[in-house]
Amino acid sequence: MMSEWLDVGAVADVPLRGARAVPIAGGEEIAVFRTGAGRVYALVNRCPHKAGPLSQGIVHGDSVACPLHNWVISLASGEALGQDKGCTPTIPVEVRSGRILICRDAALKLAA
């Protein structure tokens, strides 16, 4: 069975070194990130520490710093970096024709 991909907007709508929060009906809010190099990632929009909104954090390289307590989270793996321990679920993401697509099944499975 093939996964359904949800179009969550244009790549240009997410600033370089920035993020956008995307609500998913029946699922978790997803944070879509765009690095300075233009790579796109998607994570559940909550830090594993105190559930801070990662979409409001500072993106540097391929990581984001949580706005609440400065935990640094890998955008590729969702793992906390450095001394911190924890993981934020990642969501498969693709870019097609300038549009960002996330895997609907993965986003909904997290809400179950």
Side-chain angles (χ1 to χ4, degrees), residues 21-46:
V22 179
I24 302 297
E28 297 265 2
E29 184 172 73
I30 304 300
V32 176
F33 298 90
R34 187 169 166 216
T35 68
R39 287 183 293 278
V40 177
Y41 296 96
L43 300 172
V44 170
N45 193 25
R46 64 179 149 72

Side-chain angles (χ1 to χ4, degrees), residues 5 8 20 22 29-34 39-45 54 74-78 88-94 100-103 107 110:
W5 292 90
V8 296
R20 188 175 136 216
V22 179
E29 184 172 73
I30 304 300
V32 176
F33 298 90
R34 187 169 166 216
R39 287 183 293 278
V40 177
Y41 296 96
L43 300 172
V44 170
N45 193 25
L54 293 175
S74 165
L75 295 174
S77 69
T88 297
T90 59
I91 305 297
V93 64
E94 291 186 8
I100 300 169
L101 307 170
I102 63 170
C103 180
L110 296 170

Side-chain angles (χ1 to χ4, degrees), residues 4-108:
E4 181 181 345
W5 292 90
L6 296 174
D7 184 324
V8 296
V11 172
D13 291 342
V14 181
L16 288 174
R17 291 176 294 284
R20 188 175 136 216
V22 179
I24 302 297
E28 297 265 2
E29 184 172 73
I30 304 300
V32 176
F33 298 90
R34 187 169 166 216
T35 68
R39 287 183 293 278
V40 177
Y41 296 96
L43 300 172
V44 170
N45 193 25
R46 64 179 149 72
C47 178
H49 177 227
K50 298 279 186 178
L54 293 175
S55 63
Q56 296 176 24
I58 296 172
V59 175
H60 45 93
D62 289 311
S63 61
V64 61
C66 177
L68 295 185
H69 300 101
N70 207 35
W71 275 37
V72 178
I73 308 297
S74 165
L75 295 174
S77 69
E79 292 284 336
L81 302 175
Q83 298 293 322
D84 300 320
K85 302 293 180 216
C87 187
T88 297
T90 59
I91 305 297
V93 64
E94 291 186 8
V95 175
R96 296 184 200 155
S97 301
R99 304 294 296 177
I100 300 169
L101 307 170
I102 63 170
C103 180
R104 181 180 182 276
D105 294 344
L108 291 178

